[in-house]
């Protein structure tokens, strides 16, 4: 038995030595031999280098073509397989969802400016997928815990609803941010409109100048309103649609004043001047109101971070001295 073990040990050692020598030969000797062959070939035929370069270029082009083909195939796979599945599930969810909720989600998508990036069926599918992921994750997390059936079910339902409502939560945040951006950009656009109209441009010409030289959510709405007018929609209808898409009170006041000025035939320059002053004053009041909210909002970081540190610094010496005396 001992002789057999010695034989196995000797064979294994010999195999290891052979592998090490073979790896050394492959690493050191073989590259040098290949380099020598390459040098001799270049000396014998100087056109080989050019041919190799052409082959490399051709290979690079083939690789780029193959990558383009793969990306195209991936896009085709998404378009042919994934997108129809998502749209089909989204359509089924739309049939099961109440109409009031669908209208509310669609309105939030329009106000947030996400109706093209994330259509309503895709949004419903995302909510369903988020809820399912939260259900599966917390099912395995709560599986080994000491909860009875009612507690386990209640927690699962709560976390599933939270996961399903997460897309709506982020959509509301995007909606508020876009409305805030529109509210901040409106006074500047109104000033430029007023100056342009008073300089001799028409209302449409002033809007065109603004859409060409400015960017932002309000400018995008102006551009869409102009596109609607070019397509044959009446201007007052396009203005009302723009106000509904923005859902900002100042924009509604602006569109209402423009519609009334067109109906009554009053001066567009004076109307825009009055609206510009009014919106600038409303914006100033809004900024003051936000500044007045700052002392209330600062209470939460004070209570959470500053007061505990203050209590530790002020009361800890007294507590330590009392503990020593006791």
């Amino acid at each position: 038995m001992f002789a057999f073990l010695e034989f196995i040990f000797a064979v294994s050692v010999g195999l290891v030595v052979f592998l090490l020598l073979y790896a050394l030969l492959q690493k050191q000797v073989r590259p040098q031999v290949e380099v020598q062959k390459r040098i001799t070939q270049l000396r014998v035929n100087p056109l080989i280098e050019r041919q190799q370069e052409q082959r490399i270029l051709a290979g690079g082009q083939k690789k780029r073509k193959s990558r383009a083909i793969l990306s195209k195939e991936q896009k085709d796979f998404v378009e042919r397989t994934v997108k129809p599945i998502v749209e089909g599930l989204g359509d089924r969810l739309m049939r099961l969802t109440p109409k009031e909720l669908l209208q509310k989600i669609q309105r939030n998508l329009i106000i947030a400016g996400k109706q093209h990036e994330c259509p309503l069926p895709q949004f419903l599918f995302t909510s369903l997928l988020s809820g399912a992921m939260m259900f599966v994750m917390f099912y395995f997390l709560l599986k080994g815990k000491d909860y009875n059936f009612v507690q386990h079910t209640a927690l699962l339902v709560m976390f599933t609803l939270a996961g399903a409502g997460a897309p709506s939560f982020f959509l509301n945040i995007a909606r508020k941010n876009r409305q805030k951006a529109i509210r901040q950009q409106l006074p500047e656009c109104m000033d430029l409109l007023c100056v342009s109209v008073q300089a001799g441009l028409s209302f449409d010409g002033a809007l065109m100048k603004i859409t060409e030289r400015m960017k932002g959510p309000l400018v995008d709405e102006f551009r869409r309103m102009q596109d609607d007018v070019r397509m044959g929609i009446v201007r007052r209808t396009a203005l009302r649609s723009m106000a509904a898409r923005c859902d900002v009170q100042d924009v509604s006041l602006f569109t209402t004043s423009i519609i009334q000025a067109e109906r009554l035939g009053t001066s567009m320059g004076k109307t825009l001047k009055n609206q510009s002053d009014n919106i600038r004053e409303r914006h100033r009041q809004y900024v003051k109101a936000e500044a007045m909210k700052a002392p209330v909002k600062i209470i939460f970081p004070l209570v959470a971070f500053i007061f505990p540190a203050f209590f530790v610094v002020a009361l800890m010496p007294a507590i330590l001295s009392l503990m020593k005396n006791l």
Side-chain angles (χ1 to χ4, degrees):
M1 185 68 182
F2 183 73
F4 179 74
L5 292 175
E6 287 182 349
F7 175 74
I8 295 296
F9 177 74
V11 170
S12 61
V13 170
L15 183 61
V16 170
V17 172
F18 173 76
L19 291 175
L20 290 175
L21 291 175
Y22 182 76
L24 183 63
L25 290 173
Q26 291 290 329
K27 186 176 180 181
Q28 299 294 332
V29 179
R30 188 174 178 181
Q32 294 179 1
V33 174
E34 291 181 355
V35 169
Q36 292 295 330
K37 289 181 180 180
R38 175 69 176 168
I39 292 172
T40 54
Q41 289 177 359
L42 290 174
R43 288 176 180 175
V44 172
N45 190 3
L47 295 177
I48 294 178
E49 186 175 359
R50 295 180 182 178
Q51 294 176 358
Q52 291 293 333
E53 291 179 355
Q54 292 177 358
R55 290 176 184 174
I56 291 171
L57 292 175
Q61 292 178 358
K62 290 181 180 178
K63 287 181 180 179
R64 286 194 291 269
K65 289 181 181 179
S66 62
R67 289 175 183 174
I69 292 171
L70 287 174
S71 63
K72 187 177 180 180
E73 289 178 353
Q74 290 175 357
K75 291 180 181 178
D76 293 339
F77 175 75
V78 172
E79 292 291 333
R80 288 179 300 175
T81 307
V82 178
K83 193 173 181 180
I85 293 174
V86 173
E87 290 179 353
L89 291 174
D91 293 335
R92 292 180 182 178
L93 288 173
M94 287 180 66
R95 296 173 188 173
L96 299 175
T97 308
K99 292 183 178 180
E100 295 181 355
L101 182 60
L102 290 177
Q103 292 176 358
K104 184 178 180 181
I105 295 174
Q106 183 66 30
R107 179 174 173 78
N108 289 334
L109 287 171
I110 292 173
I111 296 172
K114 305 294 184 181
Q115 68 273 17
H116 300 294
E117 299 177 6
C118 183
L120 184 57
Q122 185 176 352
F123 182 83
L124 293 176
F125 177 77
T126 304
S127 300
L128 177 64
L129 183 62
S130 177
M133 290 176 63
M134 291 290 287
F135 175 82
V136 172
M137 183 176 66
F138 280 95
Y139 176 79
F140 287 105
L141 287 176
L142 299 174
K143 190 174 182 181
K145 304 296 181 181
D146 295 333
Y147 294 116
N148 56 28
F149 178 76
V150 176
Q151 292 176 344
H152 192 271
T153 305
L155 288 173
L156 281 179
V157 170
M158 182 179 65
F159 287 119
T160 303
L161 292 177
S168 299
F169 175 74
F170 291 110
L171 180 62
N172 289 327
I173 293 176
R175 170 185 173 176
K176 291 179 181 179
N177 291 333
R178 189 169 186 267
Q179 288 177 330
K180 185 177 180 180
I182 290 173
R183 193 181 293 111
Q184 291 177 352
Q185 196 176 18
L186 182 60
E188 183 180 0
C189 291
M190 286 298 302
D191 292 339
L192 292 175
L193 273 175
C194 180
V195 171
S196 300
V197 171
Q198 288 179 351
L201 289 176
S202 62
F203 180 73
D204 293 331
L207 278 179
M208 189 177 297
K209 291 292 182 183
I210 289 175
T211 53
E212 288 176 355
R213 301 182 180 182
M214 293 183 65
K215 295 180 181 179
L218 183 59
V219 178
D220 294 337
E221 293 297 333
F222 282 151
R223 190 178 294 110
R224 183 174 177 182
M225 187 266 291
Q226 286 182 321
D227 293 338
D228 292 341
V229 173
R230 292 192 191 99
M231 292 177 66
I233 300 176
V234 184
R235 182 184 292 174
R236 59 175 176 269
T237 305
L239 287 170
R240 287 169 181 166
S241 299
M242 185 186 73
R245 290 193 301 268
C246 295
D247 196 21
V248 178
Q249 187 177 5
D250 294 342
V251 177
S252 300
L253 292 174
F254 161 68
T255 55
T256 303
S257 64
I258 297 299
I259 293 170
Q260 289 180 354
E262 286 186 348
R263 284 184 176 179
L264 300 175
T266 57
S267 175
M268 188 63 70
K270 291 182 180 178
T271 303
L272 289 173
K273 181 68 170 61
N274 294 331
Q275 287 298 315
S276 177
D277 296 338
N278 186 18
I279 289 174
R280 181 67 68 180
E281 183 63 28
R282 288 176 62 88
H283 182 68
R284 190 179 294 111
Q285 292 176 0
Y286 173 77
V287 172
K288 288 182 179 179
E290 291 294 323
M292 294 294 291
K293 293 178 183 178
V296 180
K297 292 180 179 179
I298 205 173
I299 292 175
F300 299 101
L302 280 174
V303 173
F305 301 104
I306 298 177
F307 283 166
F310 176 75
F311 289 149
V312 168
V313 173
L315 300 178
M316 188 56 70
I319 294 173
L320 292 176
S321 62
L322 288 174
M323 291 175 64
K324 288 181 180 180
N325 293 329
L326 292 175

